[in-house]
Each structure stands twice: as C-alpha cells, then as structure tokens.
Amino acid sequence: MDRTHTLRARMRAPGALVHEGDFFLWASQTSERFDAAAGNPPFIRYQSFSGETRGRAQAEAAKFGARFNGLCSSWAPFLVGAAGLLRSAGAMAFVVPAEIGHATYAKPLLEALCKHFDRVHVIAFREKLFPALSEDCWLLHCAGFGGRTDEILLTALEEFHPLEAPPESVRRISLASWRKSGCRLRKFLLPERGVRLYDALAGMPGVRRFSEVGHAGIGYVTGANDFFHVRPTEAQFWGLPPQLLRVAVRKGEQLPKRRVDKEVVGRWLANDEAVLLVHLRGVDPLPARVREYLDTDAGHEAKDTYKCRNRNPWYVVPDVKTPHAFLSYMSGLAPTLVANEAGCVCTNSVHAVQLSPNFDITDVQRAWETPLCQLSCEIEGHPLGGGMLKIEPGEVANVRLPLQQTPASRADTTILEETITEARRWRHYA
Ligand SMILES: C[S@@+](CC[C@H](N)C(=O)[O-])C[C@H]1O[C@@H](n2cnc3c(N)ncnc32)[C@H](O)[C@@H]1O
C-alpha cells in the first residue's frame, strides 16, 4: 500500500506489522504463510493497472493457475495472490466488485479458487455496500485452502448487516451450470423459477442466439466528432458537396423507438442538428471547398488528435458502414433495436447491426421485444451504475431471440416479467 494508507493503518492498529510497498513483490518473496487473509483490494481498471506491478500480478496469479489477460482489473490477481499465502485449511474474505458476477476475468478467478478451496461463497447485496461508489460491491469468502469444490455458493441479500459468520442460506451453483451460463453469476441472483423457465425456453428450437441471426459491431470513430459532423447550415456555409455527407446516428438518445426513416432524418435536418458526417473515403482530388474546410482552425485541431494523427490520410474516417439496424449500447429500461430505413451510418456510441442473409429486421425486432429476449438482455448485458444496462457486442451475440411464434402461456409471461423486474432492481433501475 502507499504511504498515506500505511500511516493510517499504523495509527489504527498500533501493534500490527504493516508493510509498505507493492503487494505482489512482497508476496513473491515472502516465505510467511497465514491462517487467514482479509481485505478490500484495490479496484484499479486495466487501463491504469500496468507496468511492472501488472506483470508481477499476472505472474503470481499464473503460479496459482489463474491466467488473466490484459483486460483484468487489479483486484482479481490480488485475491489470488493472497490465497497463495495461506496455510493449509486457511480462509480468506474480501470485498469484491459486483463485476465478479459478469466480467470475463471472473472465469479464471473463480475456476482457480474452486480448485484450491473447499468452499467458495459469494455474498451479493442489492443495496450498495459503499453508497458513494458507482460500482456495487459484494463479499467473497473462501475456506478450506488446499481442498477443492465443484460448486459456488451464492447468497443474495437485500443489504449488508454485520454477521459473526458467513450467511447460512445459500444457493448452490454447480460449476457446470455456472459455465453454461457463460460464467455469469449474476444470472443466479434472479428468482430460481425465472431462471429455470428462461433456460427451458432458451433451449427451444425456434429460439436463436443473436450471433446466428446477425452481428452487432461498433460504429466508426472519427477522433474529432464535432469537426467531422456538421449541421446542414454549416455544410451550406462551407459549400461541402452533398454527395460527401452521410446522415449519422451520433448517440443513442437520437434514436426513435422502432425505425430511422426519411421522416426522422427530415426532422433532424429541419432542426439543423449536427448529424452530417463529412465522409471523404476515395475522394481524390479533394474539392477546393473541402480543402478550405480541412484548413480551418478546427481542422488543424482535429488533425492533431490521437486518432487523426494515426491514420492516413487524417481526414478519412474509417469503417463507415450502413447497417441494417442500430442497437442502443447503454440503456435505461431496455436496449432498443431500431431499423435503419434511411441508409444512415453510426458512430461507436451505438452498435451497428448487420443481419445475416435470410433474416428480416421486422421479424428480429418482433422477437427483440418479447419478454424472453428482454430478460436475455438483462442476463447477457451488465449493470453500468446509475441504473443503466450496458450490452457489449460479445454480450449481444448471446442474446436469445424467439424467432418463431412460441405460444408462451400467460403464467410463463408473468414469471418472465417478474424476473425482468428483479433483474432491473439488481441494477438499480427505478
Ligand atoms: C480499496 S483500498 C482499501 C484500503 C483499506 N484496506 C480500507 O479498506 O480502507 C485498496 C488499497 O490498496 C492499495 N494498493 C494499490 N495497489 C497496491 C499494490 N500493488 N500493493 C499494495 N497495495 C496496493 C491502495 O493504496 C489502497 O490503500
């Protein structure tokens, strides 16, 4: 830990031995072993968790059998490093981010813990453990170091109350069913009958994974959105040729519920919104008026941005596609799938959906709005804080779509709907 925290720890626990320095360096060198380890590990995101510390963290974790890739935040190797210092039958308890319920690196972490402990228990709280943090935090308790288990225990509680021992009421999740869920513990916070029904329906022949129907990818990245997107009046002022302008969806809030058509585009243009992408792919030579626009102060500023400096020529925005539909990336109630009937393009603020041949957007939209698919979005997506649901392209690929009319009974629909409500409660959507 750092100097400030070391001093604070020494003040709070005057008799304790407090080490100052990099935990991973110390863990790799010490021969001490412990009966118990407890803590609140640092939650440093992979972008900032770098250099020697990350290298050492990954090496320590690998010794324990946990292979983390570069997208791992610091807390996961911290836990593994602490486990490696336990004596036989030792135990550990840590605060963990709720990401343990969905992050890709939760897989190597929990797999490794189950190979080294008799008991691996995750205690989830619906109400925030640390109200000031946007991320939810849960607790992890592992006991019986040196053993192994083929199940994860999960307790879902409304809120945290101090207890003498880990809660007794647990849901036993076999590693097989956890793996089948894509290693997403979050799914098992939901009512059991809802999860059972979801699994049964998801396995029916008329229900397809999104990856079988199409592909959701990210839209283009300009590097300087305000320069590359102009208003109709600006386009006119600069004399930018209309054939070099594409109407763009720049952000999710711009999307109507079902379709972007001529009428919607007409409204954006009539409101003089900055939705015209200056698209210069294959334009050679550049028209004089375009050269003038590129030569403005704003153009020079854009040219200096990281993205523009790293492409040639700097003013050609790459990966501009015309998708069949747009999908909101971060959503309140639910992600919306919006047909692209106006040949628009989109930035990376929304997903660009390309359907495979033989699939029709109207059928896919119909399936998208069913309770089964909405629940699937909740299960496959993940909470972003502030009640939002985020769904990454890899997560969209697993969303289940009932493409053939499956006669869902009234009772089934009620169960699915109550499970969706519960999922939204867990991500704090009011
Ligand atoms: C979430 S804070 C917890 C602080 C304290 N234990 C508590 O619960 O209030 C995580 C702590 O880990 C420390 N830390 C971050 N990276 C570290 C590393 N590589 N080695 C040792 N400590 C580290 C930070 O300085 C911070 O004090």
Side-chain angles (χ1 to χ4, degrees):
M1 69 173 94
D2 61 21
R3 174 48 57 99
T4 328
H5 287 91
T6 314
L7 293 175
R8 201 176 295 158
R10 286 195 178 124
M11 248 158 47
R12 284 188 187 160
L17 172 62
V18 180
H19 291 286
E20 183 178 325
D22 175 25
F23 168 73
F24 296 104
L25 184 61
W26 173 74
S28 66
Q29 292 170 348
T30 184
S31 55
E32 280 186 275
R33 291 297 176 264
F34 303 87
D35 292 322
N40 180 5
F43 300 175
I44 307 170
R45 298 226 163 263
Y46 72 91
Q47 297 93 332
S48 319
F49 183 48
S50 54
E52 271 182 31
T53 311
R54 185 171 78 186
R56 273 198 292 267
Q58 284 179 328
E60 278 303 291
K63 283 191 211 160
F64 197 76
R67 303 213 166 266
F68 295 117
N69 65 21
L71 298 180
C72 173
S73 318
S74 61
W75 65 272
F78 238 87
L79 264 55
V80 172
L85 299 176
L86 293 176
R87 290 200 185 104
S88 174
M92 66 179 205
F94 279 94
V95 173
V96 289
E99 260 166 43
I100 197 169
H102 69 262
T104 45
Y105 56 90
K107 179 177 167 19
L109 172 69
L110 286 166
E111 293 276 6
L113 295 176
C114 288
K115 279 196 188 111
H116 289 89
F117 287 93
D118 282 337
R119 200 180 147 91
V120 173
H121 186 179
V122 174
I123 301 122
F125 307 100
R126 206 189 58 77
E127 290 207 354
K128 284 187 179 296
L129 198 53
F130 302 113
L133 295 186
S134 71
E135 172 133 35
D136 287 1
C137 288
W138 298 350
L139 297 177
L140 171 75
H141 176 251
C142 300
F145 184 66
R148 65 182 296 145
T149 177
D150 58 8
E151 64 182 13
I152 301 168
L153 310 180
L154 178 67
T155 304
L157 298 176
E158 269 302 293
E159 58 187 350
F160 171 78
H161 288 291
L163 290 173
E164 295 275 311
E168 279 171 17
S169 157
V170 296
R171 186 148 161 191
R172 297 178 176 277
I173 298 146
S174 71
L175 285 182
S177 58
W178 170 71
R179 288 182 192 127
K180 204 165 158 227
S181 76
C183 304
R184 297 169 82 87
L185 215 45
R186 282 189 66 241
K187 178 177 171 187
F188 302 94
L189 295 172
L190 303 177
E192 275 189 77
R193 65 176 191 164
V195 172
R196 249 195 327 270
L197 175 64
Y198 173 78
D199 286 342
L201 294 173
M204 286 176 60
V207 178
R208 312 284 282 269
R209 279 178 197 262
F210 198 96
S211 57
E212 298 170 64
V213 168
H215 171 263
I218 60 169
Y220 60 78
V221 179
T222 65
N225 272 334
D226 289 342
F227 175 73
F228 285 102
H229 295 101
V230 295
R231 299 174 189 280
T233 48
E234 289 169 328
Q236 208 174 18
F237 177 83
W238 291 106
L240 301 174
Q243 68 276 18
L244 303 184
L245 301 172
R246 299 289 309 269
V247 178
V249 174
R250 289 184 60 183
K251 35 189 177 301
E253 300 86 84
Q254 204 182 324
L255 288 174
K257 204 163 161 24
R258 290 240 159 61
R259 64 188 65 86
V260 173
D261 55 15
K262 270 193 186 148
E263 214 182 305
V264 169
V265 168
R267 263 201 310 274
W268 293 341
L269 298 180
N271 290 342
D272 202 29
E273 290 180 33
V275 292
L276 297 172
L277 171 73
V278 182
H279 185 39
L280 301 173
R281 159 138 297 181
V283 182
D284 190 21
L286 292 173
R289 301 301 303 268
V290 171
R291 282 205 309 272
E292 275 170 34
Y293 182 65
L294 297 181
D295 204 24
T296 53
D297 287 350
H300 287 279
E301 258 176 53
K303 190 177 175 182
D304 277 345
T305 60
Y306 177 81
K307 280 279 168 201
C308 295
R309 273 189 280 123
N310 286 287
R311 67 185 182 222
N312 190 12
W314 69 270
Y315 50 78
V316 173
V317 176
D319 303 320
V320 178
K321 291 168 257 170
T322 310
H324 294 121
F326 307 104
L327 177 63
S328 58
Y329 188 12
M330 287 176 272
S331 326
L333 183 66
T336 42
L337 181 65
V338 183
N340 182 12
E341 294 179 5
C344 294
V345 294
C346 67
T347 68
N348 65 338
S349 296
V350 293
H351 294 319
V353 172
Q354 213 63 46
L355 294 183
S356 309
N358 303 328
F359 288 102
D360 178 69
I361 185 62
T362 319
D363 296 337
V364 178
Q365 280 181 305
R366 195 180 309 117
W368 188 266
E369 285 166 17
T370 58
L372 176 66
C373 184
Q374 298 286 291
L375 177 55
S376 194
C377 289
E378 296 290 337
I379 288 175
E380 300 301 338
H382 62 272
L384 188 64
M388 302 295 278
L389 179 74
K390 188 171 183 186
I391 190 154
E392 306 277 4
E395 294 173 324
V396 178
N398 284 324
V399 166
R400 305 303 206 281
L401 291 161
L403 280 180
Q404 281 158 24
Q405 293 285 350
T406 38
S409 69
R410 188 65 231 143
D412 281 359
T413 306
T414 307
I415 294 174
L416 291 175
E417 279 167 356
E418 71 187 26
T419 312
I420 294 169
T421 306
E422 193 56 17
R424 289 183 182 146
R425 256 167 47 82
W426 273 93
R427 67 170 161 96
H428 310 289
Y429 181 78

